[in-house]
Amino acid sequence: MNREMKSYKRALTIAGSDPSGGAGIQADLKTFSACGCFGTSAIVAVVDENTVGVTGVHPVPVEFVVGQIRSVLDDIGADAVKIGMLHSSELIRAVRQTLSEYDIRNVVLDPVMVATSGDPLLQQEAVATLRDELIPHVRIITPNIPEAELLLGRRICRQEELPEAARDLSCGGCVSVFLKAGHLHDRELVDIFYNAEEERILPLRSERLDTPNTHGTGCTLSSALAAFLARGEGLDDAATHAKEYIAGAIAAGAAYRIGHGHGPVHHFYRFWE
């Protein structure tokens, strides 16, 4: 008897490896699983870090990164791709070129430049390459305020400035922007999602929690967004559900202590305590 086989929704992360498990590839794969996707990965760097800080970054050769991406996409494929830390211009260009050879619309870029601990993760000369050569070719970017300031070349000091900043980051309305407000100090946390495809601003609200456990929040948010897009959701729904997921993961993770610095969020809070 022939029985039609089921398919997983598939999400690929292209990012660095965090041995402490709270950020990078490890956070991405946990998030994909928690949000209902089969996760695959291409590791761009092995990062020596923990909850306290980054000790070193060991890049994977660019051609080997490209090989990992091709191995996954030629065999398994992907319904969405999340891109995290890309530390050099050479790597940024190689990832862009490789992905351009595949028909994947749902590409989410987390423009990782600085770790939660404050340690730099991107070579200075690569910022312009990221801004000018990769961002215009993805569907969504998910910068925090320091990353947005670096990309825009100006300060962002107030909540009221976020909608304009999101529009200015959209490459003339070609790229949607999830601008995270966590670095502001308002009592309510209001992220801004600019849906460039429908020219709409969507405020996404949550309670601001006083917790040190914020390691990997950016990785987790962007991966959740990619996962919901992989599952076929529209932009506004995917952004809303990703916001709900990260807010819940932060709230649940606040009750735990792991490590001596910025601990992780609770990626599987919907499944176990």
Side-chain angles (χ1 to χ4, degrees):
M1 181 178 68
N2 292 327
R3 185 177 63 180
E4 184 177 352
M5 300 295 289
K6 295 188 291 185
S7 298
Y8 295 107
K9 297 300 183 182
R10 307 150 299 167
L12 164 66
T13 171
I14 304 170
S17 172
D18 170 17
S20 69
I25 290 284
Q26 288 81 349
D28 297 340
L29 293 176
K30 291 174 183 178
T31 302
F32 291 160
S33 295
C35 296
C37 286
F38 180 84
T40 57
S41 64
I43 297 176
V44 306
V46 179
V47 183
D48 181 3
E49 70 173 315
N50 55 25
T51 65
V52 177
V54 176
T55 302
V57 177
H58 181 69
V60 173
V62 171
E63 63 273 16
F64 200 81
V65 174
V66 170
Q68 294 176 78
I69 297 171
R70 292 191 189 281
S71 290
V72 170
L73 296 182
D74 288 344
D75 179 29
I76 296 171
D79 299 296
V81 175
K82 174 263 173 80
I83 304 173
M85 181 186 76
L86 300 178
H87 51 273
S88 70
S89 292
E90 181 186 8
L91 179 60
I92 292 168
R93 293 183 178 117
V95 169
R96 182 204 64 197
Q97 175 59 40
T98 305
L99 290 180
S100 72
E101 300 169 14
Y102 298 86
D103 184 22
I104 303 172
R105 184 186 186 201
N106 296 319
V107 180
V108 178
L109 171 65
D110 182 15
V112 179
M113 300 176 190
V114 179
T116 302
S117 59
D119 296 283
L121 295 172
L122 183 70
Q123 295 175 6
Q124 184 62 39
E125 51 88 22
V127 174
T129 308
L130 188 78
R131 181 190 63 227
D132 300 335
E133 300 185 35
L134 181 57
I135 287 177
H137 299 281
V138 305
R139 192 176 188 192
I140 306 175
I141 61 172
T142 62
N144 59 29
I145 286 177
E147 291 159 351
E149 290 177 335
L150 198 55
L151 291 168
L152 290 170
R154 70 173 190 259
R155 294 291 308 277
I156 300 172
C157 301
R158 304 191 318 276
Q159 180 72 46
E160 293 75 20
E161 299 174 50
L162 297 190
E164 181 182 4
R167 288 191 182 93
D168 290 346
L169 287 163
S170 72
C171 300
C174 297
V175 179
S176 294
V177 180
F178 193 121
L179 181 52
K180 299 170 289 189
H183 286 78
L184 296 179
H185 301 287
D186 303 77
R187 179 171 298 180
E188 187 180 29
L189 179 59
V190 185
D191 298 326
I192 293 296
F193 181 64
Y194 174 55
N195 182 334
E197 295 171 23
E198 300 184 23
E199 300 183 3
R200 179 169 54 247
I201 290 288
L202 179 65
L204 297 168
R205 305 175 185 276
S206 65
E207 179 185 359
R208 184 180 293 276
L209 297 175
D210 183 16
T211 172
N213 295 339
T214 56
H215 182 53
T217 50
C219 304
T220 300
L221 182 279
S222 57
S223 296
L225 188 49
F228 290 119
L229 290 173
R231 294 178 59 177
E233 295 190 1
L235 286 177
D236 287 357
D237 285 345
T240 299
H241 291 148
K243 170 71 173 183
E244 292 171 351
Y245 171 75
I246 187 60
I250 293 172
Y256 291 82
R257 180 185 294 266
I258 295 181
H260 298 87
H262 293 282
V265 303
H266 190 341
H267 294 92
F268 295 108
Y269 70 96
R270 292 174 173 169
F271 304 97
W272 52 265
E273 294 184 1

